[in-house]
Amino acid sequence: MYMFKIHTSNPNEIVIEQNQAINVLRQLLTIRKFEEKSVEMYKDGLMGGSLHGYIGQEAVAVGVCEQLNKDDYLGVTYRSRGQAIAKGASLEKLFAEMMGREDGYCKGKGGPMHISDMTIGLIGANGIVGAGIPIATGAAFTAKRRGKGQVAVTFFGDGATNQGVFHETLNMASIWNLPIIFVCENNLYSEMSPIADMVKNKDLAERAQAYHIQSVVVDGNDVEAVSQVTQEALEWARNGHGPTFIEAKTYRQQGHMFGDPETYRSKEEVSEWKKRDPILLFTKKLTDLNVVSQKQIESLSNDVDQRIEEAYQFALNSPVASHQEIFTDVY
């Protein structure tokens, strides 16, 4: 069994090279601006279903996915556009899918909650809490049988650790010594319920220890720290040592879904967490250490704005999925 204290990066040291740092910042900004545009689309009535925002948690997706290979498997939840983008998904196809258009990943039938792209190892999002965990573990079983060094990663929220399938799956992953990383994005709330009112564990990573799984708690708003622990977990898995459980402590800056009145938390709490915004922290560190200039950041931000708008216009001009399409690809 393994347990680490909360892992943070050195505030006086950048552990990644300049080009990589700029790419990480680009990814963080892309996810943030994509999610902000998604809210606008939802307000404009351009998508149906529920929209679960990812604003505030971007460092977890980028920190994990920037370490993955294209053929590594990725399982995600309904709050998954961030991970999809970080793994290399098409912005055009994502927007189109969310709008129910033919050019979307699922030809418009999945909406904002069900995204998959096997060309980048994204085995699919799942709208059922905790249900993606055994699917990703099955992918890890496949990876071990193939013996090509692939690793599976599954993202889930803090509330999923109360599901029975979570415990069954972690036990299986442990006894079979599977190459999988369990990433718990602990944003403190299981939908509208504080996770602190639902479990005794101060650190949810303790739950994985019961199954003799290497476990680590990391500051989920520190993209470098997330990247570092992911790199270690990947090396552990690829060398045949089995699974790792990463608890990334983070915070969603918006409600559980669009329209959430957020009566369960105070505005003061949200305001305090916004001071630890992952993009704010990373850009400040880059400028403080003279890795990039403020002018470079502004230029990068403008480039991302243009990229988001191009993808949005593509999706907007994509045909609405036809009624006949409902009956295709169904099995």
Side-chain angles (χ1 to χ4, degrees):
M1 285 191 295
Y2 300 83
M3 188 63 178
F4 300 93
K5 294 181 180 179
I6 293 180
H7 183 90
T8 57
S9 61
N10 188 334
N12 300 312
E13 178 186 9
I14 288 286
V15 298
I16 54 181
E17 62 180 24
Q18 185 178 24
N19 289 339
Q20 186 185 7
I22 292 173
N23 184 60
V24 167
L25 180 56
R26 182 188 299 275
Q27 290 281 60
L28 291 170
L29 289 171
T30 299
I31 296 170
R32 173 66 57 88
K33 292 174 184 292
F34 184 96
E35 290 294 281
E36 290 172 343
K37 190 67 176 180
S38 298
V39 171
E40 290 181 25
M41 289 161 49
Y42 199 89
K43 288 179 178 178
D44 291 339
L46 292 174
M47 70 176 82
S50 296
L51 179 66
H52 301 80
Y54 197 65
I55 292 174
Q57 300 181 209
E58 297 90 349
V60 187
V62 176
V64 172
C65 294
E66 66 117 8
Q67 292 289 344
L68 302 181
N69 295 333
K70 187 175 182 179
D71 64 347
D72 286 329
Y73 295 111
L74 184 65
V76 293
T77 71
Y78 46 78
R79 197 187 307 275
S80 63
R81 279 92 50 195
Q83 291 94 342
I85 292 170
K87 191 68 161 66
S90 161
L91 301 184
E92 286 82 1
K93 288 186 176 183
L94 283 174
F95 273 143
E97 185 58 41
M98 294 167 75
M99 292 188 201
R101 307 301 174 99
E102 287 184 0
D103 293 312
Y105 270 113
C106 302
K107 301 179 183 178
K109 291 178 288 191
M113 293 176 63
H114 301 95
I115 306 294
S116 63
D117 182 4
M118 288 304 296
T119 66
I120 58 171
L122 181 56
I123 56 179
N126 204 301
I128 302 172
V129 174
I133 299 173
I135 296 172
T137 303
F141 183 82
T142 298
K144 183 174 182 178
R145 291 290 297 270
R146 286 178 173 169
K148 296 182 179 179
Q150 292 169 287
V151 172
V153 177
T154 180
F155 286 83
F156 49 92
D158 43 279
T161 65
N162 279 340
Q163 297 289 336
V165 71
F166 165 84
H167 296 276
E168 294 175 60
T169 303
L170 260 66
N171 185 58
M172 293 169 70
S174 178
I175 61 174
W176 291 342
N177 208 43
L178 298 181
I180 184 169
I181 303 175
F182 298 99
V183 182
C184 175
E185 295 186 273
N186 185 356
N187 60 25
L188 307 186
Y189 292 94
S190 175
E191 294 191 354
M192 291 82 172
S193 301
I195 192 65
D197 293 344
M198 302 168 69
V199 299
K200 285 284 190 180
N201 305 78
K202 179 182 177 182
D203 298 319
L204 298 178
E206 293 173 350
R207 292 188 152 190
Q209 282 192 289
Y211 303 103
H212 288 230
I213 290 176
Q214 172 174 258
S215 307
V216 57
V217 180
V218 65
D219 180 353
N221 285 13
D222 183 338
V223 67
E224 286 187 293
V226 175
S227 180
Q228 286 177 303
V229 297
T230 301
Q231 188 176 26
E232 294 167 4
L234 286 169
E235 183 178 355
W236 180 263
R238 295 196 204 281
N239 287 335
H241 299 304
T244 295
F245 184 99
I246 297 174
E247 178 187 357
K249 293 182 183 286
T250 183
Y251 195 82
R252 52 172 167 77
Q253 295 180 12
Q254 297 178 325
H256 171 65
M257 76 290 186
F258 184 83
D260 178 358
E262 299 183 63
T263 55
Y264 50 88
R265 63 183 186 179
S266 68
K267 292 181 179 179
E268 291 75 20
E269 177 185 300
V270 177
S271 179
E272 282 301 307
W273 270 96
K274 284 184 176 180
K275 295 177 182 178
R276 298 206 67 258
D277 183 293
I279 299 177
L280 178 67
L281 293 179
F282 192 55
T283 52
K284 184 178 186 305
K285 186 173 183 179
L286 292 180
T287 53
D288 286 351
L289 298 179
N290 297 316
V291 177
V292 295
S293 66
Q294 189 61 43
K295 186 175 181 180
Q296 285 177 297
I297 292 174
E298 291 173 1
S299 176
L300 179 60
S301 181
N302 290 335
D303 288 345
V304 173
D305 284 335
Q306 183 177 346
R307 181 74 187 89
I308 293 294
E309 184 61 26
E310 290 172 353
Y312 168 72
Q313 290 298 330
F314 170 89
L316 199 60
N317 293 322
S318 175
V320 175
S322 67
H323 292 163
Q324 288 77 13
E325 184 59 38
I326 294 173
F327 301 103
T328 65
D329 307 313
V330 178
Y331 58 94

